[in-house]
């Protein structure tokens, strides 16, 4: 019973899309009842239609006017209007008095419009879901002490909280638990005004109820919240965030009310950027779809030629009508764009957004892919690989875990590139130490250190010296983290100075010295290490791809934390899949040192490495590759290149980067693909493809979806046109009557469009 109701509901929806369709269908009853009814005595010109036949003629007239209006509208929008076949078919069937055939054609025309609307709606379902999930309203509250006037600037707020004894929290948290709890209590009893999302101002305090959509980008004021980010990056598991974390518009709140402060207007928020990409993709038309439009013109000419020859040879005008009722350009005009809209929807469902359908087409022809190293082939932040204590240090009260824990707490306040990796490792240590304490393991003798394991440490007086390090008071102990000279109180060294080869707290790209300069620096460091304090006197050598930061506790050098770029867990597998798909040319472009780049390249399986490049060098490498000619091309590219020119005969390059500092290189490639975690709004400015789920496996997946979309489109077009041509030839020999031909024409359309919709299926 439910299935019957569902079918009826779908039929009703289709009728709503094309109201004329049910009218034409219902008209069959009065047509049949009055088919032979002629209450007048005289004929009309040379024919004498009955009342039923006049009803058919009126339906035909309305359909012709409506079709011509649609053709004009298509031409105004730059599309080819070739519905002239339907117009001529209707006129010819009426002229030869094939009224039932004319009625069937009218039914087919309107049902074709309904099928087209349904197919496009089905193909756009993933995109439409994104559009419908757009935030519409916001609840603005006035809470004392947290409004715009109390904010006073982000930096000042951070310093004030640290000075007041702010408790260090896991990475991303910036409010104390007590403050967040008090705020949540206020929010639970606060009055709020519900306004359109466009009226939210910067600094407004917003309340998001359970199950509601976050209206604008902002900062979480509540202690914690659980957010569903599936609309943004396809992440299936809700993410827990803490006070001070960024919350993005489009995220769905969990089961508790949250309070946030607006940091972006609605028009500048993350979800609006996503909608802009979706709208751009929906309104565009790929080259191959435009080519299909153009091919509809010669198909129309061929149809008229076959119909005309059938009439001339047989001397029977009915043959002309029989052929034209089977002539359908729908495989070109409808199936092709439906397939591409379906492919665009599949990409969006997979967390991959494209700017235009042109990108979807070109993705399938990629022949050379360039990858950035840091943040693309590797994780976005260097990972801690070990903690080393000085070789000449006395036995310390703190072990490596405790050093890393407190370094992580202090580094959570830093914006340095190495800070996030240390902060994350420190948070993991806290959880590990809790388990050790709960298991009854002996802990350091100081009560405050033991307390720190069971509760977050208290942090005061945090300050960062940009480029050098960060210092803070943790549970009464001074913790310094940064360069060797910073933590030991020495004068800052120059890049070529004695400590430069060992002190690596800096941009992973490193100091770009010549081989001779590096050798001289190493020699100078070796000689100087015997005379002055340096990392070489306390720690051993590091590998070429490693970086380090140093830790001092209460003014005493305590440890060296070693970090390195770690390849993404699925990077090697994803690149192997690209090669299996025929994309053999994979290149790494990086400004990092050759030795470090070679190590990562070997781990992920890339042979072609261009290291120590400035941005202009990366751009030039891509421009050189674009002039190459692919050795193998699909036959359809060779065919289509005759219509669209040389653009299908050269290599198609793609640059994959993180979308921020790779902007010039992303723009230089034929396709720029930015891998983001859904929080980057800058990525959409420079890239044509934005991966929202921070997964490098989306690169081969996007190419696979693109190729299948084009393959399905071509199959649908060839199948539809082939059946139409066979049917027209059969009708020319009087093998298919006009009424049967009209029904077959609609069946051909259904088969072609239905096949195009299979691009929605996940069969890659």
């Amino acid at each position: 019973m439910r299935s019957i109701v569902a079918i009826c509901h779908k039929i009703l929806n289709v009728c709503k899309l094309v109201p004329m369709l049910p009218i034409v269908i219902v008209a069959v009853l009065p047509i049949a009842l009055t088919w032979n009814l002629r209450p007048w005595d005289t004929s009309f010109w040379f024919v004498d239609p009955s009342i039923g036949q006049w009803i058919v003629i009126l339906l035909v007239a309305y359909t012709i006017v409506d079709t011509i209006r649609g053709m004009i509208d298509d031409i105004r929008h730059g599309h080819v209007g070739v519905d002239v076949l339907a117009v001529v078919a209707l006129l010819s069937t009426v002229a030869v008095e094939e009224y039932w055939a004319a009625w069937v054609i009218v039914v087919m025309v309107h049902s074709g419009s309904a099928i087209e609307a349904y197919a496009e709606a089905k193909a756009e379902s993933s995109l439409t879901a994104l559009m419908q999930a757009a935030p519409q309203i916001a609840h603005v509250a006035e809470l004392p002490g947290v409004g715009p006037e109390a904010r006073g600037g982000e930096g000042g707020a951070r310093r004030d909280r640290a000075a007041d004894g702010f408790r260090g929290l896991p990475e991303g948290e910036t409010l104390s638990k007590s403050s967040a709890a008090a705020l949540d209590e206020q929010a639970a009893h606060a009055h709020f005004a519900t306004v359109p999302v466009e009226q939210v101002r910067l600094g407004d305090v917003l309340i998001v109820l359970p199950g509601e959509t976050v209206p604008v980008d902002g900062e979480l004021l509540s202690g914690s919240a659980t957010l569903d980010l599936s609309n943004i990056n396809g992440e299936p598991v809700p993410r827990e965030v803490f006070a001070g974390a960024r919350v993005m518009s489009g995220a769905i709140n969990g089961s508790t009310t949250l309070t946030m402060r607006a940091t972006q207007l609605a028009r500048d928020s993350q979800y609006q950027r996503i909608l802009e990409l979706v709208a751009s993709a929906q309104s565009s038309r790929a080259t191959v779809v435009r080519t299909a439009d153009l091919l509809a013109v010669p198909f129309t000419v061929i149809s008229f030629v076959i119909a005309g020859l059938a009439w001339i040879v047989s001397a029977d005008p009915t043959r002309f009508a029989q052929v034209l009722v089977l002539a359908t350009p729908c495989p070109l005009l409808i199936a092709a764009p439906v397939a591409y809209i379906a492919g665009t929807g599949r990409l969006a469902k997979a967390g991959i957004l494209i700017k235009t359908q042109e990108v979807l087409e070109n993705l399938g022809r990629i022949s050379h892919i360039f990858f950035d190293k840091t943040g693309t082939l590797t994780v976005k932040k260097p990972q801690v690989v070990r903690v080393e204590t000085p070789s000449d240090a006395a036995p310390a009260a703190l072990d490596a875990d405790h050093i890393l824990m407190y370094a992580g707490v202090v580094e959570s306040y830093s914006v340095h590139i190495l800070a996030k990796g240390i902060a994350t490792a420190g948070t993991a240590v806290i959880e590990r130490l809790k388990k050790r304490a709960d298991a009854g393991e002996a802990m350091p003798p100081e009560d405050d250190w033991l307390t720190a394991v069971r509760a977050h440490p208290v942090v005061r007086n945090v300050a960062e010296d940009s480029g050098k390090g960060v210092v803070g008071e943790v549970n009464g102990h001074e913790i310094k983290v940064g360069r060797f000279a910073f933590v030991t109180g020495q004068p800052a060294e120059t890049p070529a100075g004695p400590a430069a080869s060992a002190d690596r707290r800096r941009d992973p790209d490193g100091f770009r010295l010549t081989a001779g300069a590096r050798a001289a620096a190493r020699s100078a460091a070796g000689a100087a290490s015997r005379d002055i304090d340096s990392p070489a006197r306390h720690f051993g050598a590091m590998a070429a791809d490693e970086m380090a930061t140093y830790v001092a506790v209460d003014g005493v050098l305590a440890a060296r934390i070693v970090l390195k770029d770690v390849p993404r867990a699925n990077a090697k597998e994803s690149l192997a899949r690209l090669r299996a798909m025929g994309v053999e040319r994979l290149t790494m472009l990086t400004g990092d040192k050759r030795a470090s780049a070679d190590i990562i390249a070997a781990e992920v399986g890339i042979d072609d490495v261009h290291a120590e490049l400035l941005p202009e060098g990366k751009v030039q490498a891509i421009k050189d590759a674009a002039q190459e000619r692919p050795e193998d091309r699909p036959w359809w590219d060779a065919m289509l290149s005759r219509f669209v020119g040389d653009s299908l005969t050269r290599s198609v390059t793609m640059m994959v980067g993180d979308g921020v500092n790779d902007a010039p290189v992303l723009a230089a490639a034929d396709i720029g693909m930015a891998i983001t975690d859904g929080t980057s709004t800058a990525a959409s400015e420079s890239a044509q493809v934005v991966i929202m789920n921070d997964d490098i496996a989306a690169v081969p997946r996007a190419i696979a979806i693109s190729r299948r979309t084009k393959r399905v489109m071509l199959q649908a077009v060839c199948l539809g046109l082939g059946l139409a041509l066979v049917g027209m030839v059969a009708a020319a020999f009087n093998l298919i009557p006009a009424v049967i031909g009209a029904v077959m024409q609609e069946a051909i359309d259904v088969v072609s469009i239905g096949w195009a919709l299979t691009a929605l299926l996940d069969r890659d």
Side-chain angles (χ1 to χ4, degrees), residues 408-425:
V409 170
V410 175
E411 286 282 54
S412 67
Y413 291 88
S414 175
V415 296
H416 193 275
I417 191 171
L418 302 185
K420 290 185 178 180
I422 297 174
T424 301

Side-chain angles (χ1 to χ4, degrees), residues 332-354:
L332 289 165
L333 299 180
I334 301 178
V338 162
Y340 267 75
I341 293 174
T344 304
R346 274 201 64 203
L347 287 174
K349 189 175 182 180
I352 306 166
L353 299 182
I354 62 174

Side-chain angles (χ1 to χ4, degrees), residues 278-564:
V278 170
S280 175
Q282 281 183 307
S283 61
S284 64
R285 292 173 72 83
T287 299
V288 70
V289 175
R290 295 195 300 270
T291 303
D293 279 356
L294 296 176
L295 291 176
V297 175
F299 175 80
T300 301
V301 174
I302 292 173
S303 301
F304 278 122
V305 168
I306 296 175
L309 289 175
W311 183 359
I312 293 171
V313 172
S314 65
D316 183 2
T318 303
R319 300 283 183 92
F320 183 84
Q322 289 174 342
V323 171
L324 288 188
V325 296
L326 275 158
T328 170
C330 288
L332 289 165
L333 299 180
I334 301 178
V338 162
Y340 267 75
I341 293 174
T344 304
R346 274 201 64 203
L347 287 174
K349 189 175 182 180
I352 306 166
L353 299 182
I354 62 174
K355 284 189 174 180
T356 65
Q357 291 181 20
E358 189 78 22
V359 174
L360 176 61
E361 178 180 338
N362 287 333
L363 272 171
R365 300 192 297 110
I366 294 293
S367 55
H368 197 158
I369 302 179
F370 296 87
F371 292 92
D372 177 50
K373 181 178 79 70
T374 306
T376 302
L377 292 173
T378 66
V379 294
K380 288 187 177 295
K381 53 193 176 188
Q383 302 287 296
V384 174
V385 293
R386 64 182 182 275
V387 179
E388 301 173 345
T389 54
S391 57
D392 54 353
L398 303 179
D399 60 14
D401 273 350
H402 288 85
I403 292 172
L404 185 57
M405 177 177 66
Y406 286 102
V409 170
V410 175
E411 286 282 54
S412 67
Y413 291 88
S414 175
V415 296
H416 193 275
I417 191 171
L418 302 185
K420 290 185 178 180
I422 297 174
T424 301
T427 301
V429 166
I430 290 177
E431 298 301 322
R432 189 163 64 248
L433 290 179
K434 284 181 181 179
K435 293 180 180 178
R436 287 173 54 185
D438 293 340
E441 184 177 338
M443 303 298 289
E446 299 181 14
D447 289 342
D448 59 338
W449 294 106
L450 182 58
T451 302
V453 174
R454 300 185 181 278
H456 293 298
V458 176
V459 185
R460 300 178 187 272
N461 305 321
V462 178
E464 181 169 12
D465 190 344
S466 181
K468 297 179 180 179
V470 61
V471 61
E473 184 182 320
V474 183
N475 284 5
H477 295 267
E478 182 191 63
I479 307 295
K480 276 189 173 183
V481 187
R483 289 179 177 267
F484 181 82
F486 176 79
V487 302
T488 58
Q490 295 183 27
E493 71 279 359
T494 62
S501 62
D503 186 359
R504 305 280 287 284
R505 183 182 170 88
R506 49 177 168 72
D507 189 328
D509 282 357
F511 303 114
R512 295 182 176 85
L513 303 177
T514 63
R518 285 196 295 269
R522 285 194 297 269
S523 177
S529 66
R530 295 188 294 269
D531 302 321
I532 65 172
D533 195 18
S534 68
R537 294 184 58 183
H538 303 278
F539 306 96
M542 294 188 300
D545 61 334
E546 292 179 338
M547 296 157 276
T549 194
Y550 300 86
V551 182
V553 179
D554 292 328
V556 178
L557 182 65
R560 177 172 73 180
I561 300 176
V562 180
L563 306 93
K564 65 182 293 185

Side-chain angles (χ1 to χ4, degrees), residues 638-658:
M639 179 187 71
L640 292 175
S641 63
R642 299 181 180 179
F643 297 94
V644 298
D646 188 58
S647 61
L648 294 181
T649 64
R650 63 174 180 81
S651 292
V652 178
T653 60
M654 181 167 74
M655 175 68 191
V656 184
D658 60 18

